[in-house]
Amino acid sequence: MLSMKSPNGKPSGFGYILLTLRVGKEDSQWTAECEELGTATYGDTLNGTVGELRELISLHLSGLEEVGERERFFREH
């Protein structure tokens, strides 16, 4: 859950974002990608690959928050 701000910059409560995750297998490697963030990874196991993608998504969202770009990013994407 993310805190959201209204157009006047005041907090407006909380909101949700929906992310599209694509998972597939290419030869012996699993691939996973978050379409909206462009974050991707690969691995030998499905669980490991999806777990790694979740960690990368968390880091990506934290990074956007740290630099104050989260809201702008999701408005534009």
Side-chain angles (χ1 to χ4, degrees), residues 19-69:
L19 299 174
T20 308
L21 308 182
R22 294 205 183 271
V23 179
K25 194 167 186 183
E26 295 179 16
D27 298 322
S28 64
Q29 294 283 301
W30 286 95
T31 61
E33 175 186 15
C34 174
E35 286 187 9
E36 291 78 9
L37 299 177
T39 304
T41 190
Y42 65 93
D44 294 328
T45 66
L46 174 61
N47 288 339
T49 304
V50 171
E52 171 111 1
L53 182 61
R54 287 180 178 172
E55 177 69 21
L56 292 170
I57 289 169
S58 178
L59 290 169
H60 194 138
L61 294 174
S62 293
L64 287 172
E65 182 69 25
E66 285 177 16
V67 297
E69 290 291 316

